Amino acid sequence: MTADEERSGAARRAVVLGGGLAGTTAALRLAEAGVQTTLVETRPRLGGLAFSFRRDSAAGPLTVDNGQHVYLRCCTAYRWYLDRVGAGGLAPLQDRLDVPVLDVGAPRPRLARLRRAALPVPLHLAASLAGYRHLSAAERAAVARAALALKGLDPDDPALDAVDFGTWLHRHGQSARAVEALWDLVGTATLNARAPQASLGLAAKVFRTGLLSEPGAADIGWAHVPLADIHDDRARAALDAAGVRTLLRTRARAVDPAPTEDGGWRVTVDRGGSGAAELTAGTVVFAVPQREAYRLLPAGALADPGRLLDIGTAPILNVHVVYDRTVLRRSFFAALGTPVQWVFDRTAASGLTGGGQYLALSQSVAHQEIDLPVAALRERYLPELERLLPAAAGAGVRDFFVTRERTATFDPAPGVGRLRPLARTLAPGIQLAGAWTATGWPATMESAVRSGANAAREALASLGRPHSAEPVPGTEGRAHEHH
């Protein structure tokens, strides 16, 4: 093979490190454009932090999601991903936003609903806010004024990233009760931080896009099947069909300049029992957590790689309870006046048979609880569920367990925006992907898919091969800059 042929061959090859949503998206986009793509994943499965596992429970065999993942209608890139892997019908959206909110902190438990009408913004939420019984009339009026002020902010303004959302809410007349019963109700689930610890820029992105852009933007969708059916099984089938070579149980050990005249990169991987191997490619996409990216990035790829280590992480705890009877008649609800945050019915998706009901509690901002023993969490949460669901008081608990994601998301603290790098680096052919990169979104599945599409677009542009297929919605034209 001549040097020109070898150089051309390297340019036509890409290695994607990481098989989560970001890596899967990048690999699909590169392969669609004719690049010979290899995806490398350490785990024996795809999906990253959106995965399922089997559990032999006292209630029978269960398929358990590690955590409850939801998305909104405004998550256009994730909706593209679902369609791309043939899973659009497996994670349907609500016809119209409707969130039951149960407050057990009042003298008597009270239910209110956050739901939209078929009216233009902001009238689509006006009736719901006017009837939201968890706030006083004065608090509801103040919320409406703050929402209009929030609509006038530009989430991409760097100045907003330096301010915390709690300070902004206080300046705009929001009571502690309004923060708890509305702003944090949404913010903890989407940002994984409470208002005083969250960047105003990211909070503005969430609320402006989800509640103040289009009437249906905040309609909620979630998987009605195990997450693995979508992010592992369907994703792997899509990668196979696109011609992507997928290497599971394979860990990247080093990424170095290829020792040939044609340039490119040499990726050294450990395939477990098969030993070490080397992959050469003109493009390498790092779709891995920020600390792993820091460890693997070649010298000179970022002007200040240490900034990656300054991007903090935040935990999410999930509490799983299987009752011997039905205790909840809704698909999900949010809670106030209790440590419980959001509760979802996972009975059908888990494959539970023989009666009973399986509930999953999604507990964001779980810094104080993430390492508590299961017994302590059981003692804490079962009585709370009985307060929320009177039918649970007389029900038997067939199984109780927890799943812990200690580094579930990046920490959306003020100042994080200046730390998040864009896809293109200073090293030719090296791209970054992951929800923690500069997508403009918090750490969500939407951010992960956008980042993978951004990385693939930058890689193809550097190869002089713009992607000819339909673009992933929301990922076009983000400017280049280096950190």
Side-chain angles (χ1 to χ4, degrees), residues 8-164:
S8 176
R12 289 197 301 266
R13 292 194 296 270
V15 174
V16 177
L17 305 179
L21 273 69
T24 299
T25 299
L28 286 170
R29 299 298 280 178
L30 289 167
E32 289 166 352
V35 178
Q36 183 181 335
T37 304
T38 299
L39 186 149
V40 174
E41 168 56 51
T42 305
R43 303 176 181 90
R45 54 161 181 81
L46 301 176
L49 291 180
F51 68 93
S52 310
F53 60 92
R54 295 285 291 175
R55 176 178 173 85
D56 292 325
S57 163
L62 298 176
T63 301
V64 177
D65 290 346
N66 70 310
Q68 179 62 50
H69 292 65
V70 303
Y71 70 102
L72 306 180
R73 193 179 297 276
C74 62
C75 296
T76 53
Y78 182 65
R79 290 168 59 198
W80 167 91
Y81 172 91
L82 288 173
D83 289 339
R84 178 62 184 80
V85 302
L90 303 182
L93 286 154
Q94 294 176 314
D95 292 334
R96 191 174 294 179
L97 173 70
D98 188 354
V99 179
V101 183
L102 181 60
D103 182 11
V104 291
R108 289 182 299 177
R110 293 196 303 175
L111 179 70
R113 306 182 85 94
L114 292 171
R115 49 187 167 185
R116 72 171 177 92
L119 293 170
V121 174
L123 298 178
H124 67 310
L125 293 175
S128 178
L129 180 59
Y132 191 55
R133 299 192 299 164
H134 299 328
L135 297 178
S136 69
E139 287 169 330
R140 294 195 295 267
V143 164
R145 290 191 296 270
L148 290 176
L150 197 63
K151 195 175 190 303
L153 298 179
D154 177 5
D156 293 327
D157 180 354
L160 271 58
D161 181 53
V163 180
D164 74 83

Side-chain angles (χ1 to χ4, degrees), residues 4 42 171 237 319 360:
D4 287 342
T42 305
R171 290 173 180 168
V319 177

Side-chain angles (χ1 to χ4, degrees), residues 95-403:
D95 292 334
R96 191 174 294 179
L97 173 70
D98 188 354
V99 179
V101 183
L102 181 60
D103 182 11
V104 291
R108 289 182 299 177
R110 293 196 303 175
L111 179 70
R113 306 182 85 94
L114 292 171
R115 49 187 167 185
R116 72 171 177 92
L119 293 170
V121 174
L123 298 178
H124 67 310
L125 293 175
S128 178
L129 180 59
Y132 191 55
R133 299 192 299 164
H134 299 328
L135 297 178
S136 69
E139 287 169 330
R140 294 195 295 267
V143 164
R145 290 191 296 270
L148 290 176
L150 197 63
K151 195 175 190 303
L153 298 179
D154 177 5
D156 293 327
D157 180 354
L160 271 58
D161 181 53
V163 180
D164 74 83
F165 188 37
T167 295
W168 187 91
L169 289 172
H170 179 72
R171 290 173 180 168
H172 286 78
Q174 301 306 288
S175 67
R177 174 60 175 174
V179 173
E180 175 200 10
L182 185 66
W183 300 108
D184 269 353
L185 186 78
V186 176
T188 54
T190 53
L191 296 166
N192 199 16
R194 293 190 172 87
Q197 288 79 44
S199 157
L200 174 58
L202 285 172
K205 179 66 177 179
V206 166
F207 286 96
R208 287 181 81 259
T209 306
L211 297 178
L212 301 169
S213 59
E214 300 288 339
D219 299 345
I220 299 173
W222 65 93
H224 289 205
V225 298
L227 288 171
D229 288 12
I230 298 172
H231 299 134
D232 186 10
D233 298 345
R234 296 293 181 107
R236 200 177 316 186
L239 290 166
D240 290 346
V244 175
R245 178 190 181 201
T246 301
L247 303 179
L248 301 177
R249 296 185 176 88
T250 303
R251 181 178 297 277
R253 294 298 184 189
V255 179
D256 305 296
T260 58
E261 294 181 358
D262 65 295
W265 301 96
R266 177 181 62 189
V267 182
T268 304
V269 300
D270 183 352
R271 301 202 64 188
S274 301
E278 291 184 356
L279 309 172
T280 58
T283 295
V284 181
V285 176
F286 288 72
V288 294
Q290 58 267 35
R291 282 161 177 73
E292 188 174 351
Y294 172 83
R295 178 179 65 84
L296 289 171
L297 274 173
L302 295 177
D304 185 2
R307 288 191 176 191
L308 299 186
L309 300 181
D310 294 333
I311 301 174
T313 60
I316 295 177
L317 175 73
N318 285 269
V319 177
H320 308 261
V321 187
V322 183
Y323 289 102
D324 64 358
R325 67 195 70 177
T326 299
V327 299
L328 173 65
R329 300 289 179 185
R330 309 176 189 277
S331 299
F332 72 95
F333 70 93
L336 299 173
T338 168
V340 175
Q341 296 175 17
W342 291 75
V343 180
F344 287 81
D345 180 4
R346 299 299 299 170
T347 307
S350 70
L352 178 66
T353 59
Q357 188 173 35
Y358 167 20
L359 302 183
L361 285 61
S362 182
Q363 301 293 118
S364 301
V365 199
H367 301 78
Q368 303 303 315
E369 297 180 313
I370 194 66
D371 292 318
L372 288 180
V374 173
L377 293 168
R378 182 184 179 113
E379 185 176 344
R380 177 175 175 81
Y381 281 104
L382 287 182
E384 292 298 323
L385 283 171
E386 292 178 6
R387 290 177 64 207
L388 289 160
L389 304 169
V397 177
R398 299 170 67 187
D399 199 4
F400 182 100
F401 58 100
V402 300
T403 50

